[in-house]
Amino acid sequence: MSYFLFDNKKVFYNEFGMGTPLLFLHGNTASSMMFFEIVEKYKDNFKVILIDFLGHGKSDRLSEFPADLWFYEAQQVIAFLKEKQYSNVNIIGSSGGALVAINVALEAPQLVSKVIADSFEGERPLKEFTKNVKADREFSKHDDNVRMFYQYMQGDDWEFVVDNDTSAIIRHEKEIGKFFHSELNDFQPDILLTGSKQDEFVSSISPTYFEKTYGEIISKIGHGKMYLFGTGGHPAMLTNPDEFYKISMEFFHAQVFEESN
């Protein structure tokens, strides 16, 4: 297993394949294990890179997650890319990892070629989610399937990681309230925003949530595309793996793909 140091703590990473670096960034309460199956599709065309953010997976634990969690995780990524002397990196971030990917591209555009940001809530926390997150997380601990997911992602101390994440989400909305430090009109790399129209976190709020939210983001950036899957849950890239792989490869190789479903 490979590690790099950030804030004097060990951050786990794994690399395999050949070619242009393609970095996968995991979401909240998850780890790089969430990509276990889908990354196999990319290894013949890219140097695949997986990271467990501090406090997750095989990385060192934190006694408390910072409130500005997604920016802190972006700093970890930037430090890693600089240490490895990588540039022109493609990034796929899903859910919270999508927020990290956008922060990386905003803060260190010289390191990034293209970004796919999948299944994320937008520029600011989704109040409908954060106001219920503590109760929802407590409820999820009693769901056998969710417990298995948490343990698969984090190991035996999964409950500590989940509680740490829940606390950060609540403090972030109260203390910070936005995910990005820099303005979106400063975003330079090519970007593709993806999501599912049936995403359980946003479809109950509005059936056109992603169309509206992603449209506003693309308008502020001044360039970019979106692709919305007609079916599948959260995150879209794992509930539509074959179609996601196809459109991601077309995006990375600058080919034209069809309009959203």
Side-chain angles (χ1 to χ4, degrees), residues 18-37:
M18 299 288 291
T20 301
L22 173 58
L23 173 64
F24 286 81
L25 301 178
H26 67 79
N28 292 62
T29 72
S31 70
S32 60
M33 290 297 293
M34 71 176 283
F35 303 118
F36 179 75
E37 292 185 9

PDB file of all heavy atoms in Angstrom, residues 18-37:
ATOM      1  N   MET A  18      -1.840   2.532 -17.401  1.00  0.00           N
ATOM      2  CA  MET A  18      -0.855   3.350 -18.110  1.00  0.00           C
ATOM      3  C   MET A  18      -1.573   4.476 -18.845  1.00  0.00           C
ATOM      4  O   MET A  18      -2.732   4.337 -19.242  1.00  0.00           O
ATOM      5  CB  MET A  18      -0.086   2.499 -19.119  1.00  0.00           C
ATOM      6  CG  MET A  18       0.700   1.348 -18.498  1.00  0.00           C
ATOM      7  SD  MET A  18       2.153   1.915 -17.591  1.00  0.00           S
ATOM      8  CE  MET A  18       3.168   2.497 -18.969  1.00  0.00           C
ATOM      9  N   GLY A  19      -0.863   5.582 -19.034  1.00  0.00           N
ATOM     10  CA  GLY A  19      -1.409   6.671 -19.824  1.00  0.00           C
ATOM     11  C   GLY A  19      -1.627   7.928 -19.016  1.00  0.00           C
ATOM     12  O   GLY A  19      -1.014   8.144 -17.963  1.00  0.00           O
ATOM     13  N   THR A  20      -2.518   8.781 -19.506  1.00  0.00           N
ATOM     14  CA  THR A  20      -2.849  10.027 -18.839  1.00  0.00           C
ATOM     15  C   THR A  20      -3.439   9.743 -17.461  1.00  0.00           C
ATOM     16  O   THR A  20      -4.293   8.870 -17.318  1.00  0.00           O
ATOM     17  CB  THR A  20      -3.882  10.826 -19.668  1.00  0.00           C
ATOM     18  OG1 THR A  20      -3.337  11.086 -20.954  1.00  0.00           O
ATOM     19  CG2 THR A  20      -4.231  12.143 -18.985  1.00  0.00           C
ATOM     20  N   PRO A  21      -3.008  10.474 -16.422  1.00  0.00           N
ATOM     21  CA  PRO A  21      -3.569  10.240 -15.086  1.00  0.00           C
ATOM     22  C   PRO A  21      -5.072  10.520 -15.045  1.00  0.00           C
ATOM     23  O   PRO A  21      -5.543  11.540 -15.556  1.00  0.00           O
ATOM     24  CB  PRO A  21      -2.802  11.224 -14.198  1.00  0.00           C
ATOM     25  CG  PRO A  21      -1.544  11.527 -14.945  1.00  0.00           C
ATOM     26  CD  PRO A  21      -1.919  11.476 -16.392  1.00  0.00           C
ATOM     27  N   LEU A  22      -5.821   9.612 -14.431  1.00  0.00           N
ATOM     28  CA  LEU A  22      -7.253   9.772 -14.215  1.00  0.00           C
ATOM     29  C   LEU A  22      -7.514   9.510 -12.735  1.00  0.00           C
ATOM     30  O   LEU A  22      -7.383   8.390 -12.255  1.00  0.00           O
ATOM     31  CB  LEU A  22      -8.058   8.795 -15.073  1.00  0.00           C
ATOM     32  CG  LEU A  22      -9.567   8.735 -14.823  1.00  0.00           C
ATOM     33  CD1 LEU A  22     -10.217  10.102 -15.008  1.00  0.00           C
ATOM     34  CD2 LEU A  22     -10.231   7.705 -15.743  1.00  0.00           C
ATOM     35  N   LEU A  23      -7.878  10.561 -12.030  1.00  0.00           N
ATOM     36  CA  LEU A  23      -8.047  10.522 -10.583  1.00  0.00           C
ATOM     37  C   LEU A  23      -9.521  10.420 -10.220  1.00  0.00           C
ATOM     38  O   LEU A  23     -10.338  11.214 -10.686  1.00  0.00           O
ATOM     39  CB  LEU A  23      -7.443  11.798  -9.977  1.00  0.00           C
ATOM     40  CG  LEU A  23      -7.647  12.055  -8.490  1.00  0.00           C
ATOM     41  CD1 LEU A  23      -6.959  10.980  -7.651  1.00  0.00           C
ATOM     42  CD2 LEU A  23      -7.093  13.439  -8.126  1.00  0.00           C
ATOM     43  N   PHE A  24      -9.872   9.437  -9.380  1.00  0.00           N
ATOM     44  CA  PHE A  24     -11.234   9.269  -8.885  1.00  0.00           C
ATOM     45  C   PHE A  24     -11.314   9.788  -7.447  1.00  0.00           C
ATOM     46  O   PHE A  24     -10.474   9.432  -6.614  1.00  0.00           O
ATOM     47  CB  PHE A  24     -11.639   7.794  -8.918  1.00  0.00           C
ATOM     48  CG  PHE A  24     -11.921   7.264 -10.291  1.00  0.00           C
ATOM     49  CD1 PHE A  24     -10.882   6.878 -11.126  1.00  0.00           C
ATOM     50  CD2 PHE A  24     -13.219   7.146 -10.759  1.00  0.00           C
ATOM     51  CE1 PHE A  24     -11.132   6.387 -12.396  1.00  0.00           C
ATOM     52  CE2 PHE A  24     -13.486   6.642 -12.026  1.00  0.00           C
ATOM     53  CZ  PHE A  24     -12.442   6.272 -12.850  1.00  0.00           C
ATOM     54  N   LEU A  25     -12.351  10.595  -7.158  1.00  0.00           N
ATOM     55  CA  LEU A  25     -12.519  11.183  -5.836  1.00  0.00           C
ATOM     56  C   LEU A  25     -13.854  10.741  -5.239  1.00  0.00           C
ATOM     57  O   LEU A  25     -14.914  10.995  -5.816  1.00  0.00           O
ATOM     58  CB  LEU A  25     -12.457  12.710  -5.926  1.00  0.00           C
ATOM     59  CG  LEU A  25     -11.152  13.277  -6.505  1.00  0.00           C
ATOM     60  CD1 LEU A  25     -11.232  14.793  -6.592  1.00  0.00           C
ATOM     61  CD2 LEU A  25      -9.944  12.841  -5.673  1.00  0.00           C
ATOM     62  N   HIS A  26     -13.787  10.120  -4.088  1.00  0.00           N
ATOM     63  CA  HIS A  26     -14.971   9.520  -3.472  1.00  0.00           C
ATOM     64  C   HIS A  26     -15.802  10.546  -2.707  1.00  0.00           C
ATOM     65  O   HIS A  26     -15.356  11.653  -2.405  1.00  0.00           O
ATOM     66  CB  HIS A  26     -14.559   8.371  -2.550  1.00  0.00           C
ATOM     67  CG  HIS A  26     -13.785   8.788  -1.324  1.00  0.00           C
ATOM     68  ND1 HIS A  26     -14.381   9.323  -0.201  1.00  0.00           N
ATOM     69  CD2 HIS A  26     -12.449   8.709  -1.043  1.00  0.00           C
ATOM     70  CE1 HIS A  26     -13.465   9.563   0.712  1.00  0.00           C
ATOM     71  NE2 HIS A  26     -12.278   9.208   0.232  1.00  0.00           N
ATOM     72  N   GLY A  27     -17.025  10.125  -2.379  1.00  0.00           N
ATOM     73  CA  GLY A  27     -17.963  10.994  -1.687  1.00  0.00           C
ATOM     74  C   GLY A  27     -17.936  10.824  -0.181  1.00  0.00           C
ATOM     75  O   GLY A  27     -17.140  10.062   0.378  1.00  0.00           O
ATOM     76  N   ASN A  28     -18.840  11.517   0.499  1.00  0.00           N
ATOM     77  CA  ASN A  28     -18.929  11.488   1.955  1.00  0.00           C
ATOM     78  C   ASN A  28     -19.341  10.104   2.450  1.00  0.00           C
ATOM     79  O   ASN A  28     -20.163   9.429   1.821  1.00  0.00           O
ATOM     80  CB  ASN A  28     -19.938  12.524   2.437  1.00  0.00           C
ATOM     81  CG  ASN A  28     -19.457  13.938   2.194  1.00  0.00           C
ATOM     82  OD1 ASN A  28     -19.238  14.343   1.052  1.00  0.00           O
ATOM     83  ND2 ASN A  28     -19.288  14.687   3.253  1.00  0.00           N
ATOM     84  N   THR A  29     -18.800   9.715   3.577  1.00  0.00           N
ATOM     85  CA  THR A  29     -18.976   8.409   4.238  1.00  0.00           C
ATOM     86  C   THR A  29     -18.470   7.247   3.385  1.00  0.00           C
ATOM     87  O   THR A  29     -18.664   6.099   3.738  1.00  0.00           O
ATOM     88  CB  THR A  29     -20.434   8.125   4.662  1.00  0.00           C
ATOM     89  OG1 THR A  29     -21.243   7.848   3.512  1.00  0.00           O
ATOM     90  CG2 THR A  29     -21.028   9.278   5.462  1.00  0.00           C
ATOM     91  N   ALA A  30     -17.832   7.541   2.263  1.00  0.00           N
ATOM     92  CA  ALA A  30     -17.322   6.494   1.374  1.00  0.00           C
ATOM     93  C   ALA A  30     -15.792   6.494   1.397  1.00  0.00           C
ATOM     94  O   ALA A  30     -15.153   7.193   2.190  1.00  0.00           O
ATOM     95  CB  ALA A  30     -17.846   6.699  -0.049  1.00  0.00           C
ATOM     96  N   SER A  31     -15.221   5.706   0.535  1.00  0.00           N
ATOM     97  CA  SER A  31     -13.773   5.662   0.331  1.00  0.00           C
ATOM     98  C   SER A  31     -13.543   5.279  -1.122  1.00  0.00           C
ATOM     99  O   SER A  31     -14.497   5.111  -1.889  1.00  0.00           O
ATOM    100  CB  SER A  31     -13.120   4.630   1.267  1.00  0.00           C
ATOM    101  OG  SER A  31     -13.461   3.308   0.872  1.00  0.00           O
ATOM    102  N   SER A  32     -12.290   5.133  -1.501  1.00  0.00           N
ATOM    103  CA  SER A  32     -11.999   4.761  -2.887  1.00  0.00           C
ATOM    104  C   SER A  32     -12.560   3.396  -3.234  1.00  0.00           C
ATOM    105  O   SER A  32     -12.675   3.053  -4.422  1.00  0.00           O
ATOM    106  CB  SER A  32     -10.493   4.793  -3.141  1.00  0.00           C
ATOM    107  OG  SER A  32      -9.809   3.886  -2.291  1.00  0.00           O
ATOM    108  N   MET A  33     -12.965   2.624  -2.240  1.00  0.00           N
ATOM    109  CA  MET A  33     -13.574   1.320  -2.508  1.00  0.00           C
ATOM    110  C   MET A  33     -14.886   1.453  -3.268  1.00  0.00           C
ATOM    111  O   MET A  33     -15.329   0.491  -3.902  1.00  0.00           O
ATOM    112  CB  MET A  33     -13.811   0.570  -1.196  1.00  0.00           C
ATOM    113  CG  MET A  33     -12.545   0.086  -0.511  1.00  0.00           C
ATOM    114  SD  MET A  33     -11.635  -1.127  -1.496  1.00  0.00           S
ATOM    115  CE  MET A  33     -12.786  -2.497  -1.459  1.00  0.00           C
ATOM    116  N   MET A  34     -15.518   2.624  -3.236  1.00  0.00           N
ATOM    117  CA  MET A  34     -16.766   2.804  -3.974  1.00  0.00           C
ATOM    118  C   MET A  34     -16.563   2.647  -5.478  1.00  0.00           C
ATOM    119  O   MET A  34     -17.504   2.375  -6.211  1.00  0.00           O
ATOM    120  CB  MET A  34     -17.403   4.161  -3.661  1.00  0.00           C
ATOM    121  CG  MET A  34     -16.685   5.364  -4.224  1.00  0.00           C
ATOM    122  SD  MET A  34     -17.561   6.929  -3.893  1.00  0.00           S
ATOM    123  CE  MET A  34     -18.883   6.859  -5.117  1.00  0.00           C
ATOM    124  N   PHE A  35     -15.316   2.806  -5.930  1.00  0.00           N
ATOM    125  CA  PHE A  35     -15.009   2.710  -7.359  1.00  0.00           C
ATOM    126  C   PHE A  35     -14.432   1.347  -7.747  1.00  0.00           C
ATOM    127  O   PHE A  35     -13.934   1.185  -8.862  1.00  0.00           O
ATOM    128  CB  PHE A  35     -14.006   3.799  -7.753  1.00  0.00           C
ATOM    129  CG  PHE A  35     -14.451   5.199  -7.435  1.00  0.00           C
ATOM    130  CD1 PHE A  35     -13.731   5.988  -6.549  1.00  0.00           C
ATOM    131  CD2 PHE A  35     -15.581   5.730  -8.028  1.00  0.00           C
ATOM    132  CE1 PHE A  35     -14.132   7.284  -6.265  1.00  0.00           C
ATOM    133  CE2 PHE A  35     -15.994   7.032  -7.745  1.00  0.00           C
ATOM    134  CZ  PHE A  35     -15.264   7.804  -6.856  1.00  0.00           C
ATOM    135  N   PHE A  36     -14.500   0.394  -6.839  1.00  0.00           N
ATOM    136  CA  PHE A  36     -13.800  -0.883  -7.008  1.00  0.00           C
ATOM    137  C   PHE A  36     -14.067  -1.528  -8.360  1.00  0.00           C
ATOM    138  O   PHE A  36     -13.148  -2.018  -9.022  1.00  0.00           O
ATOM    139  CB  PHE A  36     -14.192  -1.845  -5.882  1.00  0.00           C
ATOM    140  CG  PHE A  36     -13.547  -3.194  -5.978  1.00  0.00           C
ATOM    141  CD1 PHE A  36     -12.216  -3.363  -5.644  1.00  0.00           C
ATOM    142  CD2 PHE A  36     -14.266  -4.304  -6.427  1.00  0.00           C
ATOM    143  CE1 PHE A  36     -11.610  -4.617  -5.732  1.00  0.00           C
ATOM    144  CE2 PHE A  36     -13.676  -5.552  -6.519  1.00  0.00           C
ATOM    145  CZ  PHE A  36     -12.341  -5.710  -6.176  1.00  0.00           C
ATOM    146  N   GLU A  37     -15.327  -1.537  -8.788  1.00  0.00           N
ATOM    147  CA  GLU A  37     -15.662  -2.221 -10.035  1.00  0.00           C
ATOM    148  C   GLU A  37     -15.481  -1.329 -11.256  1.00  0.00           C
ATOM    149  O   GLU A  37     -14.913  -1.759 -12.261  1.00  0.00           O
ATOM    150  CB  GLU A  37     -17.099  -2.743  -9.974  1.00  0.00           C
ATOM    151  CG  GLU A  37     -17.298  -3.861  -8.968  1.00  0.00           C
ATOM    152  CD  GLU A  37     -18.694  -4.442  -9.023  1.00  0.00           C
ATOM    153  OE1 GLU A  37     -19.453  -4.106  -9.949  1.00  0.00           O
ATOM    154  OE2 GLU A  37     -19.025  -5.251  -8.133  1.00  0.00           O
TER     155      GLU A  37
END
